[in-house]
Amino acid sequence: MTTTHQDPGGPAVRTDAARPDPAAEQFPAPPAPAPPAPVAAVLARMRVVEATLPPADGIAVFNRVYLSVTEEIARRLGTGGFQDPAAAGELDAVFARRYLAAVDAAGAGLTVPACWRPLFQLRRHPGVRPLQFALAGINAHIGHDLALAVVDTCHVLGCEPGELAADFDRVGDLLTGLEERIRESLMPGPDLLDVADPLTHLAGSWSLEMARDGAWAAARVLWSLRGMPETAEEFAGRLDSGVGLVGRCLLTPLG
């Protein structure tokens, strides 16, 4: 934009109010770093799920939440947000693949893990609200899948769970920070603290932070049992069933 002003006793002078910065043209901002290939692959799969499911489908509701979280993790992987980006990226991809495996199993008519079964069974129930779908998916993925993903990642990288602890906590802090936003965006009505709404009580009965702590404890137990495969399998099966029971409670129809 060009303006003209008159200096006292002098000719009119043209000035550019918004001149381009030559340095910015010569040194443009670098593009955002691409996420690691395994993370990019699971992001692509989640976007396919988003594009193929009706928005009100319970899996679609959870997928939108999970996609936004994974996109933020991918961004932080490229900006120094993790202590060991390679290990954190591997954990993120291994973790996401467990959810995507459940989606594939359901699509093929196969049995999904017990932790996911309530969400897949009730994904179209008209009496279940979007926040319930989101919390049930987070419950299944954090409560069961995350523990097994930590163990799987340790096997892949040849490390101990303790070596992943710092980045595990960073991912957990990100999830906890997003939890309130998720609740606010999916809670119906203008009054989010309506004590007369059963959804308020149901949503308040579950804590992501406690689920995350439980997942870390379960991962450590499973790692300690790696030399006893039968016992480890039994423990993982009971964890799967217990998380599924919580998910079924979270999906109690309210209307």
Side-chain angles (χ1 to χ4, degrees):
M1 173 180 168
T2 302
T3 61
T4 303
H5 71 272
Q6 181 77 33
D7 289 337
V13 178
R14 289 167 56 88
T15 60
D16 291 330
R19 293 178 178 171
D21 182 356
E25 292 181 352
Q26 186 177 0
F27 303 106
V39 177
V42 296
L43 279 170
R45 284 289 319 281
M46 288 183 213
R47 290 174 183 136
V48 170
V49 173
E50 180 181 36
T52 55
L53 291 179
D57 184 290
I59 301 301
V61 173
F62 167 72
N63 191 81
R64 284 194 297 274
V65 170
Y66 192 25
L67 175 58
S68 68
V69 170
T70 307
E71 287 173 336
E72 178 62 18
I73 290 174
R75 187 188 70 78
R76 296 192 185 193
L77 283 170
T79 56
F82 290 96
Q83 178 174 295
D84 185 341
E90 182 68 27
L91 174 59
D92 184 61
V94 170
F95 183 35
R97 288 188 199 116
R98 285 194 167 271
Y99 155 63
L100 294 169
V103 172
D104 290 342
L110 303 176
T111 301
V112 300
C115 62
W116 285 107
R117 211 166 294 154
L119 181 55
F120 280 93
Q121 290 173 342
L122 298 170
R123 60 194 290 183
R124 297 181 182 91
H125 196 295
V128 179
R129 303 189 195 177
L131 179 60
Q132 294 175 263
F133 289 135
L135 292 181
I138 297 170
N139 169 70
H141 204 37
I142 300 293
H144 173 263
D145 292 355
L146 183 54
L148 273 64
V150 169
V151 173
D152 291 344
T153 302
C154 287
H155 283 301
V156 170
L157 299 179
C159 66
E160 296 284 328
E163 296 174 61
L164 300 177
D167 287 332
F168 179 96
D169 287 340
R170 285 180 171 86
V171 172
D173 291 342
L174 170 62
L175 291 169
T176 302
L178 290 173
E179 182 184 14
E180 188 60 32
R181 286 167 48 191
I182 293 166
R183 290 175 183 266
E184 290 180 359
S185 65
L186 295 178
M187 185 78 81
D191 185 0
L192 305 184
L193 299 177
D194 183 359
V195 295
D197 190 340
L199 182 60
T200 301
H201 299 278
L202 188 65
S205 69
W206 187 85
S207 163
L208 190 152
E209 187 172 1
M210 293 182 66
R212 180 189 75 177
D213 291 345
W216 181 250
R220 290 173 62 84
V221 171
L222 284 167
W223 185 251
S224 72
L225 295 173
R226 64 191 182 282
M228 298 179 282
E230 291 185 1
T231 304
E233 183 177 359
E234 181 180 356
F235 179 86
R238 293 186 182 277
L239 178 65
D240 190 20
S241 299
V243 172
L245 179 60
V246 174
R248 183 62 186 83
C249 293
L250 288 170
L251 292 170
T252 300
L254 301 178

